[in-house]
Amino acid sequence: MLYVGQTYSTSIQAKKYAEKTSNNILEINDSAQNNYYNQTHLGSSPKNYNNQRGITQYSDQECIIISSTNHIRSDAYNPWEDEFNEDIGYIYYYGDNKTADKDPATTTGNKRLLEQFKLSHSNDPKERAKAIPILFFESKKQGERTFHGYGTVESIKLVTQYSGSNKNKTYFSNYLFTFCVFSLKKEQEGFNWDWIDARREKDKFAPCLAPKEWQEWIKDGDFNKIRRHVYGRSTANKKEQLPTPGSKLDIILQKIYSHYQNN
């Protein structure tokens, strides 16, 4: 079972532990609860999902895993700063093209997501039923992955991005994908991995294991009915709005303050 907002260990130790305990039998204890490999265990196989990056698809109907790695930083501008807003049901994710003069629709990951977009916007429930769940993970620290929920492609936008900095900029075309994050309120906020396992085995009972919101979406295709929304404070406090002290954004902010302090 995966929970939105929960961080799971992908360390070497976690993988070794999973290899010892996951040979078709899950050992559930405090260590296993936060072990990424245990929680993505495949009941019909001793193998686990590897720690991947980018856009990874497993089989034709199993799942797609979206991985955003934000713990790698350098002086050069990073055009793949994805945005996670799962509490209001949106995730903004840049595709996998990074090459100038290349059609972004031809890269492996983008092709997969464009196909899911086509299926998710079909007016035919039978076509929507062919869509596969997309799971969202983010790594802010090496050896850890945070689960941001699941959903499908709601919209796409062709954008221009660049990599490098100053005189060494390289421009390229890419897609910005907007994902609808589905609610899990009827599952008490837990994502049952048995559904993914059943999809992998093409089990006839797989549709029955799907979250209730997924089943409803297949029937009527209405994103707004099943979108995740967390009720609570609508305005971030001052501390949440300010950048981390000493960060690049904080330095820029201090320069702005300094420039306008007498004006």
Side-chain angles (χ1 to χ4, degrees):
M1 192 74 71
L2 293 171
Y3 294 92
V4 179
Q6 177 68 51
T7 299
Y8 297 89
S9 175
T10 58
S11 65
I12 295 176
Q13 291 80 2
K15 191 170 185 178
K16 288 181 178 179
Y17 178 85
E19 289 174 348
K20 291 180 180 179
T21 63
S22 297
N23 291 321
N24 296 326
I25 301 175
L26 274 180
E27 179 179 321
I28 302 300
N29 54 38
D30 291 341
S31 177
Q33 292 288 358
N34 294 323
N35 188 323
Y36 171 79
Y37 303 103
N38 279 86
Q39 296 308 318
T40 58
H41 173 77
L42 299 171
S44 57
S45 170
K47 295 182 180 180
N48 302 86
Y49 284 87
N50 291 323
N51 189 16
Q52 66 291 110
R53 294 182 181 180
I55 305 165
T56 307
Q57 180 170 342
Y58 293 90
S59 79
D60 292 335
Q61 64 175 38
E62 192 171 337
C63 69
I64 291 176
I65 291 183
I66 296 293
S67 303
S68 182
T69 304
N70 291 323
H71 61 76
I72 300 174
R73 289 290 183 266
S74 67
D75 291 335
Y77 167 68
N78 178 14
W80 293 278
E81 292 288 353
D82 306 310
E83 186 176 339
F84 294 86
N85 298 300
E86 67 273 15
D87 284 358
I88 57 173
Y90 292 94
I91 287 176
Y92 303 101
Y93 186 86
Y94 291 97
D96 61 351
N97 187 44
K98 59 181 70 175
T99 306
D101 301 324
K102 184 170 185 176
D103 182 354
T106 63
T107 61
T108 302
N110 285 351
K111 285 173 64 176
R112 290 169 175 166
L113 295 181
L114 290 171
E115 174 62 23
Q116 293 306 306
F117 173 77
K118 181 180 178 182
L119 292 172
S120 69
H121 284 267
S122 172
N123 293 323
D124 185 353
K126 292 182 180 179
E127 284 298 302
R128 285 198 300 275
K130 296 177 183 178
I132 62 179
I134 302 173
L135 282 68
F136 314 113
F137 289 91
E138 180 186 22
S139 176
K140 292 184 178 180
K141 181 180 178 182
Q142 190 168 6
E144 294 182 354
R145 309 187 83 199
T146 301
F147 179 55
H148 287 285
Y150 85 105
T152 190
V153 184
E154 183 172 0
S155 65
I156 55 176
K157 183 179 181 180
L158 185 63
V159 298
T160 298
Q161 293 180 270
Y162 73 87
S163 60
S165 58
N166 299 326
K167 296 180 180 180
N168 295 319
K169 288 182 181 179
T170 299
Y171 293 92
F172 56 93
S173 297
N174 199 9
Y175 286 105
L176 173 60
F177 296 94
T178 300
F179 296 111
C180 176
V181 183
F182 286 26
S183 171
L184 283 167
K185 60 187 177 184
K186 295 179 182 177
E187 286 72 36
Q188 294 72 55
E189 304 304 321
F191 183 87
N192 188 354
W193 200 260
D194 289 345
W195 178 39
I196 302 300
D197 201 10
R199 292 180 63 91
R200 175 178 181 271
E201 290 299 306
K202 299 183 179 180
D203 192 317
K204 65 179 181 179
F205 295 109
C208 300
L209 294 173
K212 295 296 188 295
E213 287 77 4
W214 181 270
Q215 296 181 42
E216 291 176 10
W217 173 73
I218 294 297
K219 291 178 182 178
D220 62 28
D222 190 334
F223 288 109
N224 291 321
K225 284 184 179 179
I226 48 76
R227 190 185 310 280
R228 175 179 168 84
H229 181 81
V230 177
Y231 289 85
R233 179 166 45 86
S234 60
T235 304
N237 61 36
K238 180 179 179 180
K239 183 178 180 181
E240 291 172 330
Q241 295 181 55
L242 290 173
T244 304
S247 66
K248 290 182 180 180
L249 289 178
D250 184 53
I251 294 172
I252 293 172
L253 185 61
Q254 297 308 318
K255 288 182 178 179
I256 294 172
Y257 285 156
S258 176
H259 181 79
Y260 288 105
Q261 65 180 352
N262 295 322
N263 183 2

